Amino acid sequence: MAAADTPSATLRHHDLCSRGIRLARKMRSDVTDLLDIYVERQGLDASISVAAVDGVPTAAVERWAEQTGTQRLLDNLAAYRAFRTLLAQMLEEQRELLGDTDAELGPALAAMLLQVSAFVYHLEELLELESRGAPAEEGSEPPAPPRLSLFEQKLRGLRVLRELAQWAVRSVRDLRQLSKHGPGSGAALGLPESQ
Amino acid sequence: MFSGWSWAVHCLYLFLNICSFEVSGGLVQSCGHIIPESPVLALGSNFTALCILNESCLDFGNIYASQIIWKMKNKVIPKEQYREINRTVSSVTFNDTSSLASPLTCNVLADGQIEQNIYGISVTVGLPPEKPKNLSCIVYLSPKVEWYMNCTWNPGRHTFLDTRFRLKYMWPRETFPDCIPEYVNNSCTISDVQFFVNLEVWVEAANALGKAESDHLVFDPIEIVKPPPPRNLSVNSGILPTVLKLSWENQISTVVMELKFNIRYRISSDTNWMEVPPEDTASPRTSFSIQGLRPYTEYVFSIRCMKEDGVGFWSDWSEEQIGVTTEDKPSKGPTIWRTIDVSPSPAFWIVRLMWKALEPFEANGVILQYEVTIRAKPPLSHPPSRYNVTTTSLTLKLPNGTYEVTVVAHNRVGASPPSVLLIPSSNSKAPVKNIRTLPKDGKLWVGWTAPNNVLKYVIEWCLMSNSSDCITEWQTEPGNIQGTYLKGDIKPFKCYLITVYPLFADGQGSGQSVKAYLQQGRPSKGPTVQTKKVGKAEAVLTWNHLTVDEQNGFIRSYTILYKTVDGNETAVSVDPSKTEYTLSSLTSDTLYTVRMMAYTDAGGRSGPDFTFTTQKFGRGEIEAIVVPVCLAFLLIVLLGVLFCFNKRDLIKKHIWPNVPDPSKSNIAQWSPQVPAKHDFSSKDQMYPEGSFTDVSVVEIEADDKKSFSEQDLKPFDLLKKEKSTSEGHSSGIGGSSCMSSPRQSVSDSDEGETTQNTSSTVQYSTVVLNGYRDQTPVQVFSRSESTQPLLDSEERLEDHAGGSDSTTQRQHYFKQHCGQDETKTERPFFERAKQIISANEEDLAGFAQLQISGQSSQPLGFELEENTQEAALPDVLQTSSEGQTVRPETVEGNIPSVDEMPKSYLPQTVRQGGYMPQ
């Protein structure tokens, strides 16, 4: 906690929050564009409804306003780590499916993957400033996803991108909350950190 | 023989041992090797190489390290650099690798004579890479809307080695593949740049001699963005004539960055940009309205942008876009002036009103027309007159008086404020004083001392030229200044007449003028000088002033330069107002060259040379000489006349003595008759009747000449003999200024011994056989002036019945030969002439007797008195001209016979006392 009290830590926290918000906005903007490309390339209907898919984090949460800062960071970190894995998997499937011939979807997915990775870095840095430290990723190898059909892969990819868009919006809001209260705000909320 | 063969075998053995040490595989094994193998060395460092011989070579070839020779590119390395480490190892050391060259070889001298190569290495010398400096990166947006980052750096010195540069970049917890430059070593471009995460960037340079890294840069790529300029800039006219609205599109999403802008604009005809205050465009936007513009003016706009917080780079300026503001009514009235010319009717003026077209920023639109109103001031009481004109001048014929002229300009929007000019009946107000000009900064400044309460000034000027009229230009200036620059195309070397008028509220002052040049030059030509009058020691020179087009400046002075052909040039300075100058102290009768130079402030130029010659005599000198001479001559003549008049008796006695009348002479009475058929008209005039009374003339009829025989010539022979004894005979006839010698006939016959000469000298006389009047023809010698051969004379006598014609011809002939006397005269003749002189002197004695008897003719006597000596020469000369005049055959036939001429007188040897008739 001592580190979070220093002016430089405050500045660092503010800077990370600020740039995190802008990065989340950009992710939101880019993922919207990516969804259009994805639907077009995969031959899907943009209005198609996709049920929840296992492994894809859901942005919706109950009692969001009551969350502590740390909890928000942890939730975001877990979600974006998951998205990072899912996007990497989608990129791999995309390369297997279309090769390097698709000059639009592949680079867009790769760019999105980079942004997600950057946002993960932001979250990890913010958690460092919270003196909490970023939790280690679960296992070195993610559990092997069940073997899906090609259509199921497309639907899952659509679900991932949609949830990512939702998460980008939520992350902006989360970081705004964090930015308002400064570092260590998680304790100030009076909520148990264990939550 | 055997030893030689043995030596060859031994060498071959050595060669095989050294160079062809065969091992398994068929490869040739070297007899040694060098350490290090193909090193890469730092330039300037020291280096030591070892040549290690194989033991086998020692055994078979007796080769040791002491025999090793190091060579570098076939050049033996000095042995001072060698060191024998042991019997198989030799080293060579270089203190500076810059002197190294490849290949470096190790060689041996087999048997001390044959040099064999053991091994060789290639040495590479270079430099380790320097630390890359000045690393900087800029993020751009590609046309595909992808962000990319270009980083540049200074690679440092040339290493002479293959040096690889890598641009490395990483996030704090994620690394990326290196960016490897292609074809260059100082820049690299990274694609897929992600913002909002710090990126660590550095450059690594590496070659065989080492590795170097630049300083690491850590930045968020969003901070080094150079955005693309806004696109689709458009300009829309606003409601107001001074406002234009700009609109554009930003190429960067606001999600990435917010932008601020710079807007610049300029009038199309101007090159200077104006800029909208940056604080007005420091917030994100896509449009902006620019105010304070000029109505009806074309503007050019451009815009650029950068990150709102000012971190990063400004974009390039966008493409320019043109916009035009709408019209507004003219902001001011046109400046107005007038010229007044004299009208044929003295009660009227010809007033030419002039006004200047409004500048675009004053007109605020297209001027459609000018409305001119003229109001007469008391005592005139004309109603105001209005004129609508589209030009900028108006000429009117107005009664003399005071007028107020108003001009209003109209465009589509409205009318300008009126411009008013008061035209007084007379310029009665105070004029400006001390008007002066000064060239300054390529413009002509005119200044003056102002009178009080001046409303404004009008400055008129015009270019003075001989080739064109003075076209007046003018400008107005406010009344509070006392000097201004002329606002026009003022050319150098041209004369301008500048006039300043002060305008008052109730009148105007008279104009004051000054001539001025923006820049003076040398005259384009010099004056042409001429002489107006030339005397003995002075010359009046005249010239014309140079025209204003030729002057190129103010003529400050003239210089007259004059000189003689071989003399020094003299210069005389002359006032520029003069056109005449008198050169004095000139030398008489001398050729002078004069030229004239005209000087301006910038220099002078010479006119053409003019030459003149001073007179030999001064004015009146000739008269002073001629008049006295003439008077003296007249006096002498007068004295001579008086003398002659006083001595007229004496003169007459000597020159025109009284001649006795031949008709009263005894001879005349004795002569039978006078020949009738001869025309003696001329002779009668020359020798009036009776003048021959004292001369015996033998006249031979030409027709009778043919009948003369040689026997007839005998008497001539006798004559010859007599002549030889008594030379100096002269008939006295024919003595003339042509120096016909009376002795001619004598000497002819004497010289030639033939009749040739006789025939050629028949001109001596013509024998007239006709009787005188009714008397029996007497032989008369009539003087013949012909020197033609007798034959010719004969033929002519046949042709012409009268003897006068032939006489005339003979006169010509005679005269022709007179001129040859001097040239054809030979010494013997002169000797004879002297004799003749003596004879003539004797004749004179006889002549005197004749005179006493009153029988001497007047001409004869005169000639004898003056030319007694010369008179003998022509005949003598005639004799000498044999080749020209002598025709022997003719002469022979023409010799007259005395016997056949009974009625004629033959010339006799003249003795003292005259002719003797036979």
Side-chain angles (χ1 to χ4, degrees), chain B residues 293-583:
Chain B
L293 302 177
R294 291 177 183 171
Y296 198 63
T297 304
E298 184 178 272
Y299 285 91
V300 178
F301 297 91
S302 181
I303 188 172
R304 67 177 180 176
C305 63
M306 76 176 299
K307 193 162 173 277
E308 184 184 12
D309 57 6
V311 178
F313 301 92
W314 281 104
S315 70
D316 294 328
W317 287 102
S318 68
E319 290 185 353
E320 296 177 355
Q321 190 66 36
I322 294 174
V324 183
T325 51
T326 56
E327 285 190 53
D328 196 2
K329 62 183 180 183
S331 59
K332 61 173 286 190
T335 54
I336 183 171
W337 184 233
R338 88 293 176 274
T339 59
I340 298 174
D341 294 329
V342 178
S343 167
S345 172
F348 287 85
W349 283 338
I350 301 296
V351 178
R352 183 170 184 264
L353 298 172
M354 307 173 290
W355 54 91
K356 290 187 180 294
L358 293 173
E359 295 292 333
F361 64 89
E362 298 168 336
N364 291 340
V366 178
I367 299 299
L368 302 176
Q369 66 176 14
Y370 298 95
E371 180 184 325
V372 182
T373 305
I374 298 173
R375 294 182 178 85
K377 294 283 188 179
L380 298 176
S381 60
H382 303 292
S385 51
R386 284 189 169 80
Y387 304 89
N388 289 327
V389 294
T390 56
T391 59
T392 56
S393 64
L394 177 64
T395 302
L396 298 169
K397 184 178 181 183
L398 299 173
N400 296 351
T402 301
Y403 295 91
E404 183 185 84
V405 179
T406 303
V407 178
V408 175
H410 289 267
N411 65 11
R412 276 191 288 262
V413 178
S416 71
S419 294
V420 180
L421 175 69
L422 183 67
I423 303 177
S425 57
S426 63
N427 295 338
S428 58
K429 300 294 182 181
V432 298
K433 297 177 183 176
N434 191 24
I435 183 170
R436 59 203 179 275
T437 60
L438 182 67
K440 206 172 182 180
D441 302 330
K443 295 184 286 186
L444 194 56
W445 181 87
V446 54
W448 57 86
T449 301
N452 294 326
N453 302 321
V454 176
L455 194 63
K456 62 181 178 180
Y457 295 96
V458 173
I459 297 100
E460 275 186 358
W461 74 90
C462 73
L463 173 63
M464 299 179 69
S465 173
N466 300 104
S467 58
S468 62
D469 294 334
C470 193
I471 300 173
T472 301
E473 296 182 68
W474 58 279
Q475 68 186 61
T476 58
E477 296 295 337
N480 58 351
I481 67 166
Q482 298 189 22
T484 185
Y485 289 101
L486 296 186
K487 299 168 184 171
D489 182 20
I490 307 297
K491 299 172 182 173
F493 316 128
K494 300 292 184 184
C495 183
Y496 288 88
L497 179 65
I498 303 166
T499 307
V500 178
Y501 296 90
L503 304 187
F504 301 87
D506 53 350
Q508 73 178 47
S510 60
Q512 297 295 307
S513 299
V514 66
K515 290 180 180 177
Y517 285 87
L518 175 63
Q519 181 185 350
Q520 295 191 49
R522 296 166 60 204
S524 54
K525 60 177 286 191
T528 302
V529 66
Q530 291 180 323
T531 54
K532 181 179 179 183
K533 186 178 179 183
V534 178
K536 180 182 177 183
E538 70 283 333
V540 180
L541 304 178
T542 62
W543 61 90
N544 291 325
H545 286 305
L546 296 177
T547 64
V548 70
D549 291 332
E550 296 167 343
Q551 290 179 5
N552 294 338
F554 294 113
I555 301 297
R556 300 301 186 192
S557 68
Y558 290 125
T559 297
I560 298 173
L561 302 161
Y562 64 97
K563 64 176 181 178
T564 59
V565 174
D566 53 355
N568 292 329
E569 197 168 55
T570 305
V572 178
S573 185
V574 181
D575 189 272
S577 62
K578 295 187 175 178
T579 59
E580 185 174 308
Y581 185 81
T582 301
L583 295 178

Side-chain angles (χ1 to χ4, degrees), chain B residues 765-839:
Chain B
S765 64
T766 301
V767 179
V768 181
L769 297 181
N770 295 333
Y772 180 66
R773 295 179 181 176
D774 295 332
Q775 299 175 10
T776 303
V778 295
Q779 290 182 333
V780 178
F781 276 109
S782 175
R783 182 179 180 274
S784 172
E785 296 178 356
S786 172
T787 58
Q788 287 185 338
L790 286 174
L791 182 57
D792 292 340
S793 301
E794 182 181 10
E795 290 171 357
R796 289 190 178 95
L797 284 171
E798 290 174 355
D799 294 336
H800 305 285
S804 60
D805 293 339
S806 61
T807 303
T808 305
Q809 291 178 352
R810 284 191 292 270
Q811 285 178 338
H812 287 296
Y813 193 79
F814 180 76
K815 289 177 180 175
Q816 289 174 358
H817 285 73
C818 288
Q820 299 176 357
D821 292 343
E822 292 182 1
T823 56
K824 299 288 179 69
T825 302
E826 296 178 358
R827 183 178 178 84
F829 296 138
F830 282 109
E831 291 176 351
R832 282 192 295 272
K834 291 176 182 176
Q835 295 172 355
I836 291 170
I837 291 168
S838 61

Side-chain angles (χ1 to χ4, degrees), chain A residues 12 19-20 22-23 25-27 29-30 103 107 110-111 114-115 117-119 121-122 124-125 128 134, chain B residues 146-147 171-174 176 192-198 219-220 222-223 253 255-258 307 309:
Chain A
R12 173 72 174 157
R19 289 201 284 169
R22 298 173 68 181
L23 180 57
R25 282 180 178 169
K26 187 168 186 301
M27 281 195 300
S29 173
D30 289 350
L114 280 175
Q115 290 182 67
S117 298
F119 197 73
Y121 162 73
H122 274 285
E124 290 172 347
E125 287 293 303
E128 289 286 343
Chain B
E146 293 174 353
W147 295 98
W171 282 344
R173 296 179 186 178
E174 185 163 355
F176 299 98
D192 267 345
V193 174
Q194 298 300 321
F195 298 129
F196 312 119
V197 184
N198 281 350
F219 52 83
D220 185 344
I222 198 69
E223 297 169 352
S253 167
V255 174
V256 176
M257 67 171 73
E258 300 287 357
K307 193 162 173 277
D309 57 6

Side-chain angles (χ1 to χ4, degrees), chain B residues 134-359:
Chain B
N134 301 330
L135 173 64
S136 64
C137 301
I138 300 177
V139 174
Y140 302 93
L141 183 63
S142 73
K144 294 181 179 178
V145 199
E146 293 174 353
W147 295 98
Y148 65 95
M149 183 172 70
N150 179 260
C151 295
T152 58
W153 61 89
N154 180 359
R157 67 188 176 193
H158 182 50
T159 62
F160 308 102
L161 299 174
D162 180 24
T163 303
R164 290 166 286 108
F165 290 85
R166 291 173 177 271
L167 178 66
K168 293 179 170 293
Y169 61 105
M170 59 177 292
W171 282 344
R173 296 179 186 178
E174 185 163 355
T175 59
F176 299 98
D178 294 341
C179 178
I180 300 174
E182 292 181 356
Y183 313 116
V184 294
N185 62 357
N186 63 344
S187 71
C188 196
T189 300
I190 300 170
S191 57
D192 267 345
V193 174
Q194 298 300 321
F195 298 129
F196 312 119
V197 184
N198 281 350
L199 188 67
E200 184 176 356
V201 179
W202 71 98
V203 177
E204 183 183 273
N207 64 15
L209 294 177
K211 183 185 293 185
E213 275 187 8
S214 70
D215 292 335
H216 289 225
L217 299 180
V218 179
F219 52 83
D220 185 344
I222 198 69
E223 297 169 352
I224 55 172
V225 172
K226 181 178 181 178
R231 61 186 178 189
N232 299 332
L233 179 65
S234 62
V235 184
N236 299 312
S237 299
I239 300 172
L240 298 174
T242 58
V243 176
L244 286 175
K245 182 180 180 183
L246 300 184
S247 300
W248 63 88
E249 294 178 10
N250 296 319
Q251 299 189 57
I252 298 177
S253 167
T254 56
V255 174
V256 176
M257 67 171 73
E258 300 287 357
L259 296 173
K260 66 177 181 180
F261 304 89
N262 272 171
I263 297 173
R264 66 177 183 178
Y265 61 99
R266 62 179 172 86
I267 297 172
S268 294
S269 57
D270 196 356
T271 56
N272 296 321
W273 288 97
M274 295 167 283
E275 197 162 310
V276 173
E279 56 270 22
D280 293 351
T281 55
S283 57
R285 62 181 63 238
T286 57
S287 66
F288 188 80
S289 291
I290 302 175
Q291 303 175 19
L293 302 177
R294 291 177 183 171
Y296 198 63
T297 304
E298 184 178 272
Y299 285 91
V300 178
F301 297 91
S302 181
I303 188 172
R304 67 177 180 176
C305 63
M306 76 176 299
K307 193 162 173 277
E308 184 184 12
D309 57 6
V311 178
F313 301 92
W314 281 104
S315 70
D316 294 328
W317 287 102
S318 68
E319 290 185 353
E320 296 177 355
Q321 190 66 36
I322 294 174
V324 183
T325 51
T326 56
E327 285 190 53
D328 196 2
K329 62 183 180 183
S331 59
K332 61 173 286 190
T335 54
I336 183 171
W337 184 233
R338 88 293 176 274
T339 59
I340 298 174
D341 294 329
V342 178
S343 167
S345 172
F348 287 85
W349 283 338
I350 301 296
V351 178
R352 183 170 184 264
L353 298 172
M354 307 173 290
W355 54 91
K356 290 187 180 294
L358 293 173
E359 295 292 333

